[in-house]
Amino acid sequence: MSVQERKQRQRTERERLIVATARELAEAQGWDAVTTRRLAERIEYSQPVLYSHFRGKREIIGAVALEGATEMALAVRAATAAADGPRARVTALARAYLDFAERNPAVYDAIFQLDGGLAYAREDTPEPLKDAFAALLESLGEVAGDGVHPGLFTEVFWAALHGLATLTRAGRLPPEDTGARVELLVNRLAVL
């Protein structure tokens, strides 16, 4: 391995460490606790080293969002692959999405609530975000109904899931009724 390759590998490993540490800190204490000073202390590098990877917290949030979008897409695809038939796939998708949001609140916020400097719903949208939407579209597109654009249907269904995740987490909806809400959403919105 050349010196250049070794330095690049070390740089990549440091970047992963920064993102993992930010994510861990945000999940434990919230995004307000994630500061460049605190991250530098936790990873045992100086702030200038941290800034050589990310210009600031916004870029770190963006990196966490991209990582999280990849994980969410994998979770949705795994859940839908194990389901038999359109109704079961859509139900599995909804549950996987809501489970992801519940298990990873800081990551969910990085993807959907916070400014990570990422473009959404544009040509320059990063691939992990496009793929997360594609993971939803794969199952939802088949239940959009005649004359309904699959992408628009996916956006509306996703918005409903996001609302459920956000309102439940904020204590505005009782979590024990999540299953009933998912069934209602699937039965009323999806054409099965």
Side-chain angles (χ1 to χ4, degrees):
M1 173 180 299
S2 72
V3 172
Q4 179 82 9
E5 290 171 327
R6 183 177 50 77
K7 285 184 178 186
Q8 183 57 43
R9 188 185 80 227
Q10 289 172 336
R11 180 172 178 75
T12 301
E13 288 171 6
R14 260 192 322 269
E15 199 165 289
R16 279 192 206 124
L17 178 61
I18 293 165
V19 172
T21 303
R23 182 177 174 165
E24 179 183 299
L25 188 56
E27 291 293 1
Q29 299 177 30
W31 278 104
D32 287 342
V34 179
T35 64
T36 53
R37 172 188 254 180
R38 188 175 270 172
L39 285 174
E41 289 171 2
R42 287 205 174 198
I43 64 171
E44 298 179 343
Y45 284 99
S46 68
Q47 283 183 291
V49 169
L50 194 139
Y51 281 117
S52 74
H53 291 274
F54 299 98
R55 285 181 281 188
K57 183 175 176 177
R58 182 177 185 222
E59 283 189 6
I60 294 168
I61 290 169
V64 170
L66 294 177
E67 187 177 272
T70 298
E71 292 170 10
M72 188 181 76
L74 288 170
V76 165
R77 285 189 175 111
T80 58
D84 186 29
R87 176 183 301 280
R89 274 190 293 282
V90 174
T91 301
L93 175 148
R95 289 185 177 143
Y97 182 96
L98 295 172
D99 287 346
F100 180 86
E102 182 182 349
R103 284 190 329 273
N104 306 283
V107 173
Y108 188 83
D109 284 350
I111 301 169
F112 298 116
Q113 304 281 85
L114 301 174
D115 179 10
L118 303 173
Y120 285 80
R122 297 192 334 220
E123 194 64 36
D124 61 338
T125 297
E127 199 55 44
L129 298 177
K130 288 180 181 179
D131 188 54
F133 184 79
L136 300 175
L137 181 63
E138 289 162 10
S139 292
L140 294 172
E142 70 179 318
V143 298
D146 293 336
V148 177
H149 187 280
L152 290 176
F153 178 78
T154 299
E155 289 172 351
V156 170
F157 200 95
W158 168 35
L161 288 175
H162 177 70
L164 290 176
T166 303
L167 291 169
T168 301
R169 193 166 123 208
R172 303 302 195 269
L173 297 175
E176 62 271 12
D177 294 331
T178 297
R181 287 187 200 96
V182 166
E183 288 303 313
L184 182 62
L185 182 62
V186 171
N187 291 333
R188 299 292 185 186
L189 206 52
V191 177
L192 302 167

